[in-house]
Amino acid sequence: MACVAVASLLRTIELEFLQYKPRPVVLDNDLISPNKDLIQSFHQELGSLISQLDEERINMDGVEAVKPLETKLRDLAFRVEDEIELLVAHLYDDDEEDIEDEYLVRVADLFVEEEDELDLYVEKPQPDRYAEKLGQVFQSAMEEIEAIKEALKKIKNRDEAEGRKTGNDVLQRSQLLSSHHASHSKEKMVGKKDEFEIIKKLLTELGSKEKKVVSIIGMGGIGKTTLAKQIYEDPSIFLHFDVRAWVVVSQLHNKRQMLVSLLNSISKQDNIENSTNDDLALKLYQSLRHQRYMIVVDDVWSGDAWDDVSNCFPDDGNGSRVLLTTRLAEVANYTSSDNDFSHHMQLLDQTDSWNLFCENASKSRDAKFEIIGRPIVEKCKGLPLAIFVVAGLFSKLNTLNEWENIAKALESSTTTTIAATCSKVLSLSYNHLPHHLKACFLYLGIFPEDYEINANELSRLWSAEGLAKASENENFDVVAERYIQELMDRNLILVSKWSCCGRKIKVFGVHDLLHAFCVKEAEKENLLHVVRENGSDFRQRCFRWVSIQSSNFDVTTLSYSSRSCRSIFCFSKEYISLNLEQFKLLRVFFFIDELMKSSQICSSKLAESFLFGS
């Protein structure tokens, strides 16, 4: 819960006060020397405290107990970071006549909704009192750290008195990466052989030469895309069809993006920036005409999305096929005719569920493992994604006690629906992430659903945010690469592209349900606000990250959160004018440059060292 706030604050302290050559403006105002011991002590205590909370939280009985303490630590970290960065920003602006009178903001400014509940602003210090003010900030924060530590100690003592072993006794987290058990393996199907053969036959049989639409229907996480991908890559499919193409639609579909994706899937397209949608549709139609094609239209949520592209698929009587995946039967019915076919995917039975779990948990199938593992698999109710994720968690556990704790946590769950069970499994896996990975995993929520995440790009973002910390032996890129590898080993991301040597992840995605989990958790923690196509209302007044995925919103609404906002991500295809000067603490401005076919990451002067090192 406090992982992002603490990671960001630790990095800010390191860059402003603990690096070998701090900023000249910090040295010129002599902020460090009077406060050096206090700063170092606070930095050490903060890092130790988040680790202790992490160890206690990973014991499932301790999750609820430490939540209030995590909330206090989160609020403390946000407030202290704001005070530090506002102080440094004020040093830069000291000669300007229009310096804001509102200098430091108390934590109430960040989290309350009612204006009449806001604390008064703290008065600006005089230049000769900057060091004194900084010392007061750290001294006050240190006292709050001690109070949280004391409360945590009482929880541990109570747990021990009740006979429950604490996290340090039971759960020793492995600091080593597991073997690359999944590094070079493709997603495998378990228990879907019959479905695979049925659909492949429908696609390749030539009893009917007119165009057919074959729909795969099933709930999120049941394996629709995995099945479609296995069929798409099957050698017999490759030989049977002249042209293959793939497009991901998603819940918030974009017609132009769909057309461009399909064209690029057939062959790399040049000079299409100025083409209208009608031009793109005609070009796609002509590319498919007189060809026996197979098109996969993945993750369709509405009839409108189908209407946007369906007329681009000609029917030349040569056995062309469209393979469509959807969660909604009504969408499959809308796209089908008497000659088409819909297949409802089934949940895995107990045997296939257990096989999928064993294949991904990377544990020996001895009697003890099976006794503990089978009840866990049964709680997943045959949903492949839930089994896949919990197996990734098991692959990181090293003792019998750890396995038993996971089993108890799921057995104590009263959830009855498959969706609730999946949510419980995702929460369980998230709780068992080290705090540095929690922060990095939640950060994936800034990207739109089904976005192809470039690993190098993400490395720069994590570095700018302070979520990936370089060491003497590893630079930012190496650390980020290791973090991404860990997320893959835990089955929390889906690799879509490897480097030429096959050892480094270049591009990956996040399953819809996992992405929704990241967004929900980040929004709950006042970290993220997403501007979507169907809404421009900023329900949250304060958040650290804003992800703009629509041009249909009032940009002035961002000004209400300018004091807390650290990062702005713009995924809109249309130009959006933002006044970045009002965001005094802006750390990252990320946008997609359509003309340059690349993303750009910009930073304010406060974040310069985050991006380019010191």
Side-chain angles (χ1 to χ4, degrees):
M1 179 185 291
C3 54
V4 175
V6 170
S8 185
L9 174 56
L10 287 172
R11 185 71 179 130
T12 295
I13 293 172
E14 291 161 6
L15 287 167
E16 300 296 356
F17 309 119
L18 300 182
Q19 62 177 322
Y20 178 66
K21 291 183 178 180
R23 299 173 190 270
V25 70
V26 172
L27 293 176
D28 292 345
N29 286 271
D30 197 24
L31 295 186
I32 299 175
S33 57
N35 300 303
K36 187 173 183 179
D37 291 342
L38 182 58
I39 293 171
Q40 289 178 335
S41 179
F42 177 79
H43 182 272
Q44 183 177 354
E45 291 294 325
L46 182 62
S48 174
L49 179 56
I50 189 64
S51 295
Q52 291 178 50
L53 283 170
D54 209 33
E55 290 168 355
E56 184 65 21
R57 197 176 200 268
I58 205 170
N59 292 295
M60 299 314 299
D61 293 339
V63 171
E64 294 300 322
V66 300
K67 271 186 178 179
L69 300 184
E70 288 184 314
T71 300
K72 288 182 180 179
L73 184 60
R74 178 201 66 186
D75 295 350
L76 168 65
F78 279 156
R79 191 196 77 219
V80 172
E81 187 170 36
D82 285 342
E83 291 177 341
I84 292 172
E85 292 192 326
L86 281 165
L87 191 150
V88 175
H90 188 79
L91 294 177
Y92 279 108
D93 296 336
D94 199 30
D95 294 331
E96 297 180 9
E97 294 181 357
D98 59 342
I99 298 174
E100 296 180 15
D101 288 332
E102 46 193 65
Y103 169 55
L104 296 176
V105 184
R106 296 188 186 276
V107 68
D109 290 331
L110 296 176
F111 298 104
V112 300
E113 294 293 329
E114 299 298 328
E115 289 287 347
D116 58 356
E117 292 184 21
L118 294 176
D119 283 353
L120 295 176
Y121 298 124
V122 178
E123 206 173 284
K124 290 184 299 180
Q126 297 302 314
D128 60 348
R129 294 187 58 215
Y130 283 130
E132 179 184 348
K133 183 60 191 177
L134 182 66
Q136 292 172 358
V137 168
F138 278 110
Q139 186 60 51
S140 174
M142 184 66 84
E143 292 171 2
E144 293 184 58
I145 288 286
E146 292 299 325
I148 295 174
K149 285 173 61 179
E150 189 62 31
L152 180 60
K153 184 178 179 181
K154 289 179 180 179
I155 291 174
K156 289 185 175 183
N157 290 339
R158 183 195 65 198
D159 291 339
E160 289 172 349
E162 292 173 354
R164 179 175 65 84
K165 293 182 179 181
T166 61
N168 285 331
D169 297 326
V170 178
L171 299 173
Q172 296 297 321
R173 190 193 307 282
S174 171
Q175 297 302 314
L176 299 174
L177 282 175
S178 67
S179 60
H180 291 199
H181 64 275
S183 295
H184 298 86
S185 62
K186 296 180 179 180
E187 295 173 72
K188 296 180 180 179
M189 293 186 302
V190 174
K192 301 295 180 184
K193 186 175 180 180
D194 290 344
E195 292 177 308
F196 175 85
E197 294 298 336
I198 290 171
I199 294 173
K200 191 172 77 168
K201 184 178 179 182
L202 288 168
L203 294 171
T204 57
E205 66 180 5
L206 293 178
S208 174
K209 291 190 176 182
E210 61 185 89
K211 180 186 72 178
K212 274 189 179 182
V213 177
V214 178
S215 300
I216 302 176
I217 308 167
M219 66 179 297
I222 202 169
K224 301 182 298 296
T225 300
T226 301
L227 178 58
K229 190 177 295 184
Q230 294 290 330
I231 292 169
Y232 185 80
E233 295 175 350
D234 186 77
S236 63
I237 293 291
F238 178 80
L239 293 173
H240 184 79
F241 293 98
D242 303 319
V243 176
R244 295 175 306 147
W246 183 294
V247 62
V248 179
V249 179
S250 299
Q251 194 166 0
L252 299 175
H253 75 280
N254 180 295
K255 180 177 180 178
R256 183 177 185 83
Q257 187 174 335
M258 292 164 62
L259 293 170
V260 170
S261 294
L262 283 167
L263 283 167
N264 283 330
S265 185
I266 296 170
S267 62
K268 190 63 179 177
Q269 302 294 313
D270 297 320
N271 303 320
I272 61 174
E273 293 83 5
N274 298 323
S275 300
T276 66
N277 286 357
D278 288 342
D279 290 338
L280 294 173
L282 178 60
K283 191 168 187 176
L284 177 59
Y285 182 89
Q286 291 173 340
S287 298
L288 297 175
R289 194 175 181 187
H290 304 310
Q291 304 262 25
R292 183 192 293 166
Y293 61 80
M294 189 190 85
I295 307 293
V296 177
V297 187
D298 187 33
D299 197 21
V300 184
W301 285 75
S302 69
D304 290 340
W306 171 251
D307 290 339
D308 282 345
V309 294
S310 59
N311 288 333
C312 300
F313 305 147
D315 188 356
D316 294 319
N318 58 5
S320 292
R321 301 288 184 259
V322 177
L323 181 61
L324 179 145
T325 75
T326 181
R327 301 184 188 188
L328 307 172
E330 61 191 59
V331 170
N333 292 334
Y334 180 86
T335 64
S336 66
S337 64
D338 293 338
N339 207 30
D340 297 325
F341 179 82
S342 295
H343 175 75
H344 291 261
M345 289 194 70
Q346 302 298 309
L347 295 166
L348 298 177
D349 60 27
Q350 290 187 10
T351 299
D352 290 329
S353 295
W354 178 246
N355 290 338
L356 178 62
F357 177 75
C358 291
E359 185 175 293
N360 289 278
S362 296
K363 300 295 179 184
S364 59
R365 303 190 185 192
D366 57 31
K368 291 181 179 178
F369 174 69
E370 186 163 349
I371 289 172
I372 297 171
R374 280 200 178 273
I376 293 177
V377 174
E378 289 175 8
K379 287 294 281 187
C380 292
K381 302 180 185 295
L383 185 65
L385 178 66
I387 299 168
F388 193 61
V389 171
V390 82
L393 169 59
F394 254 62
S395 72
K396 292 294 182 178
L397 303 181
N398 302 296
T399 70
L400 193 62
N401 283 332
E402 290 176 314
W403 302 344
E404 289 173 341
N405 277 355
I406 298 297
K408 288 177 182 177
L410 281 175
E411 286 172 2
S412 64
S413 172
T414 57
T415 57
T416 56
T417 67
I418 295 175
T421 297
C422 189
S423 178
K424 178 72 175 178
V425 168
L426 298 185
S427 295
L428 189 67
S429 294
Y430 173 71
N431 288 334
H432 273 259
L433 288 173
H435 61 266
H436 66 275
L437 280 186
K438 282 192 179 83
C440 291
F441 180 58
L442 285 189
Y443 196 78
L444 302 181
I446 67 169
F447 298 101
E449 183 180 296
D450 293 318
Y451 187 84
E452 294 231 314
I453 302 171
N454 182 285
N456 290 333
E457 202 167 74
L458 184 64
S459 172
R460 296 175 64 203
L461 287 170
W462 278 348
S463 299
E465 301 283 6
L467 302 182
K469 178 181 175 181
S471 65
E472 293 182 2
N473 301 320
E474 295 179 315
N475 60 30
F476 287 122
D477 290 338
V478 174
V479 173
E481 183 180 339
R482 177 159 51 83
Y483 287 0
I484 292 171
Q485 177 70 45
E486 289 187 63
L487 292 175
M488 189 206 70
D489 288 343
R490 294 169 184 271
N491 296 332
L492 295 176
I493 63 173
L494 302 170
V495 179
S496 54
K497 188 175 182 181
W498 292 87
S499 62
C500 295
C501 64
R503 298 174 60 184
K504 183 179 178 181
I505 298 170
K506 291 191 68 175
V507 180
F508 67 89
V510 183
H511 190 280
D512 291 354
L513 296 184
L514 288 164
H515 179 269
F517 177 86
C518 290
V519 172
K520 182 179 178 181
E521 286 292 312
E523 287 179 338
K524 187 169 66 176
E525 295 305 316
N526 295 319
L527 288 168
L528 172 66
H529 178 76
V530 180
V531 180
R532 298 183 175 89
E533 288 289 346
N534 57 351
S536 58
D537 180 34
F538 277 59
R539 295 183 300 278
Q540 298 168 262
R541 288 193 55 207
C542 300
F543 40 81
R544 308 277 288 194
W545 313 322
V546 57
S547 179
I548 302 172
Q549 300 172 20
S550 167
S551 58
N552 182 32
F553 81 106
D554 183 0
V555 295
T556 61
T557 56
L558 272 176
S559 63
Y560 295 116
S561 299
S562 60
R563 287 193 307 243
S564 64
C565 186
R566 291 301 196 283
S567 305
I568 299 174
F569 308 91
C570 187
F571 297 98
S572 172
K573 302 299 182 183
E574 298 180 28
Y575 177 75
I576 295 176
S577 177
L578 292 173
N579 178 18
L580 298 182
E581 290 185 0
Q582 66 180 316
F583 299 93
K584 296 293 183 182
L585 306 183
L586 187 66
R587 184 170 292 175
V588 170
F589 178 52
F590 174 96
F591 64 97
I592 303 296
D593 189 331
E594 281 292 298
L595 294 179
M596 296 179 64
K597 293 299 181 184
S598 64
S599 62
Q600 305 293 319
I601 303 175
C602 304
S603 71
S604 68
K605 57 193 173 187
L606 271 180
E608 183 177 358
S609 58
F610 278 96
L611 288 175
F612 305 111
S614 54

